[in-house]
Amino acid sequence: MSRLISLPNKHDPASPGRIWFNPERVVSLIPKFGSNGTQHSLTVEIKLTGVPAMDAWLGNFLSRADADIAWHTFLTSITADQAAM
């Protein structure tokens, strides 16, 4: 049985995920880190089978290290789903 992973809603992070995807359909993931001088942002370019690549916001963080941890947590959630199948 397939599981779905949600991507957070940038405009309402407390709400349920705005986009849900099946990790089996991931073709590529590219992290994009940004900073405005006071906070660090993490966006992922995600390419799914049969869908054009899109950018999805994963969060804003106080440091680049926090953003790195979030990236690795996101990757772990995807690979954990695939390993369980």
Side-chain angles (χ1 to χ4, degrees), residues 25-30 44-54:
R25 303 294 180 227
V26 172
V27 174
S28 70
L29 298 169
I30 301 170
V44 62
E45 179 182 295
I46 185 168
K47 170 70 176 104
L48 303 172
T49 304
V51 179
M54 63 183 151

Side-chain angles (χ1 to χ4, degrees), residues 7-85:
L7 296 170
N9 182 344
K10 182 177 184 175
H11 303 291
D12 187 7
S15 72
R18 190 165 134 184
I19 298 172
W20 294 78
F21 68 94
N22 180 340
E24 293 177 16
R25 303 294 180 227
V26 172
V27 174
S28 70
L29 298 169
I30 301 170
K32 297 179 179 181
F33 297 93
S35 177
N36 65 6
T38 59
Q39 66 181 359
H40 297 264
S41 63
L42 172 58
T43 304
V44 62
E45 179 182 295
I46 185 168
K47 170 70 176 104
L48 303 172
T49 304
V51 179
M54 63 183 151
D55 284 345
W57 176 82
L58 294 182
N60 292 323
F61 305 92
L62 296 177
S63 70
R64 171 64 190 260
D66 291 341
D68 283 336
I69 290 168
W71 171 244
H72 290 288
T73 301
F74 177 71
L75 287 178
T76 300
S77 71
I78 291 173
T79 57
D81 282 346
Q82 290 176 343
M85 296 181 174

